[in-house]
Amino acid sequence: MSPISANAVALEDFIQAVQSQLDTAQARMTLKAQNDKLPLTFAIRDISMDLKAHVEVQSGEIRIRPAGPADTSASTLHVVFAVITKPMIDENAVQLAVDDKDEVPLDELGDTLDEEERRRLDWIGVRTVSKLNEISKRGLGRSVGRITNLPIDKLESVLARASRPMVDSVERDSSSNGTDALRQRLKLRGRNFLKDGVPPKIAVDGRPVSVVRASGDELVLAPAADQFAGQMSLAHDPRATTEFWFDESAGGAGQREEGMP
Amino acid sequence: MSGYATRRALSELIFDLADSIQTGRPGIAVQAVSAEFNLPVEMRFAADVSGPVILADFAPTRTRTAFDPPFGRLALTLVRGGPG
């Protein structure tokens, strides 16, 4: 940790930092009471701070810089924090549904989001792919972009990528009934296979493949005889195509190589 | 600038204040149930990997000089409750 008092900090970063440290202090008090087996401990009810600082605007962002020695022209920033209860949060927050099976951390999107961008999304409680999908469905992308300072085109790209089909496994479908027995199927397991109830466009080596059955986490495909190996692509949105190599042909069954963008 | 630096994070200051009034000895019928602090503190910013950190601590000297940064003020209300 190195002092950077000469530098300005975004006002929202300052607020977030205070909130984070209040949480830390409260957590320490609670842990100590539990470890010491105390029936009661102290909790923060409210806190206010007066900070002598200069207020600046840089690139549309309000930033504050602590006043230095003999600095008589500084402003006073008065900030009050008070405990809010869960009912108050529930009453005021945008409700985002939680879907356990889709709780994939944003980290799994690879380098789509850097650490700073993930941290800004974390501030508003967006830590998983399903939360991002929920935001997209509710048309909140622009609001989230404004709150987190993520460019709207970046967020849309991330949202498209987050909602792209993700394939965990590919195998021949052994559950074909009598009428289908003459034609082999491929079964894909994963997530994000339906968008607004519609399966993705699927191709193997550039040639379309029919979808026999589709759910959010499973697809059954009817490929042509020469489409049991090659490069498969799945896309709801041309900006976010999932591509990978697979080989379920008689000679190379079970091989799959990631080639996702 | 003075020859010392404020190094304690705000969370540590708050924890120490709360801990200093925590009297958990059994058999004492009357105990403090709330405490209010209104303190002059030196506040500065630092940074770690997670972002800005607020450093806040008591002034290390009684007198101020032109080389010391101006005080901020911290008002804190603590109430006794269950540890959760």
Side-chain angles (χ1 to χ4, degrees):
Chain A
M1 195 186 302
S2 59
I4 53 168
S5 57
N7 296 333
V9 168
L11 180 56
E12 61 180 318
D13 289 350
F14 169 75
I15 301 288
Q16 295 281 356
V18 174
Q19 288 172 330
S20 170
Q21 290 190 49
L22 293 180
D23 285 345
T24 301
Q26 188 63 68
R28 280 187 68 186
M29 284 187 255
T30 301
L31 279 173
K32 187 166 193 298
Q34 288 172 341
N35 290 332
D36 291 349
K37 295 187 172 19
L38 300 176
L40 294 170
T41 185
F42 281 98
I44 300 166
R45 190 174 71 186
D46 54 59
I47 181 171
S48 68
M49 302 169 67
D50 286 343
L51 175 66
K52 301 284 187 189
H54 293 280
V55 181
E56 306 165 354
V57 178
Q58 289 179 10
S59 305
E61 185 177 64
I62 296 177
R63 302 174 73 86
I64 56 174
R65 181 166 48 84
D71 205 343
T72 56
S73 61
S75 306
T76 300
L77 183 69
H78 182 69
V79 189
V80 179
F81 296 85
V83 171
I84 56 173
T85 61
K86 189 170 186 307
M88 292 163 70
I89 295 172
D90 292 342
E91 188 177 335
N92 291 287
V94 174
Q95 294 296 309
L96 296 176
V98 173
D99 187 351
D100 287 340
K101 71 180 188 302
D102 284 339
E103 288 300 313
V104 178
L106 290 179
D107 301 12
E108 291 195 9
L109 291 177
D111 56 0
T112 308
L113 290 166
D114 63 30
E115 186 177 326
E116 169 67 15
E117 290 165 337
R118 278 201 298 273
R119 188 166 65 85
R120 287 181 177 275
L121 286 169
D122 182 82
W123 285 349
I124 58 168
V126 177
R127 304 179 184 89
T128 62
V129 169
S130 64
K131 291 280 188 187
L132 265 183
N133 283 333
E134 187 73 16
I135 284 171
S136 178
K137 286 175 186 167
R138 300 197 57 172
L140 297 172
R142 189 166 293 277
S143 299
V144 169
R146 181 172 49 78
I147 293 169
T148 60
N149 274 349
L150 283 171
I152 189 66
D153 54 345
K154 175 70 179 281
L155 197 59
E156 284 175 352
S157 164
V158 172
L159 288 170
R161 192 177 166 106
S163 60
R164 70 182 180 165
M166 295 185 182
V167 180
D168 295 330
S169 69
V170 181
E171 62 187 40
R172 285 188 181 241
D173 182 19
S174 57
S175 63
S176 302
N177 59 30
T179 57
D180 288 339
L182 293 177
R183 187 160 188 190
Q184 289 285 326
R185 309 292 196 212
L186 270 183
K187 184 186 284 185
L188 277 61
R189 289 198 174 89
R191 53 187 180 273
N192 296 340
F193 285 159
L194 294 180
K195 187 173 185 181
D196 301 326
V198 179
K201 288 191 170 70
I202 302 173
V204 173
D205 292 337
R207 290 156 50 212
V209 177
S210 301
V211 177
V212 177
R213 198 169 63 243
S215 65
D217 57 6
E218 187 175 289
L219 289 172
V220 177
L221 311 179
D226 60 348
Q227 286 184 305
F228 281 86
Q231 186 183 37
M232 184 180 290
S233 64
L234 304 89
H236 293 297
D237 181 333
R239 292 173 301 176
T241 301
T242 299
E243 292 181 327
F244 62 92
W245 292 90
F246 75 106
D247 189 351
E248 289 294 323
S249 61
Q255 295 181 32
R256 177 169 167 260
E257 182 182 342
E258 292 286 350
M260 296 182 183
Chain B
M1 183 177 284
S2 55
Y4 52 83
T6 304
R7 292 291 185 190
R8 190 155 58 163
L10 174 64
S11 60
E12 294 174 36
L13 174 65
I14 293 171
F15 175 79
D16 288 345
L17 289 171
D19 199 42
S20 67
I21 55 172
Q22 181 74 271
T23 53
R25 282 188 296 166
I28 299 177
V30 179
Q31 297 198 356
V33 293
S34 71
E36 293 183 21
F37 298 92
N38 195 321
L39 311 164
V41 291
E42 284 187 358
M43 277 189 265
R44 299 183 189 192
F45 298 160
D48 66 11
V49 291
S50 63
V53 174
I54 312 302
L55 303 179
D57 211 340
F58 308 116
T61 58
R62 290 188 178 188
T63 55
R64 306 295 289 174
T65 71
F67 301 101
D68 296 317
F71 277 135
R73 197 131 199 120
L74 178 73
L76 173 69
T77 305
L78 298 170
V79 293
R80 198 181 277 272

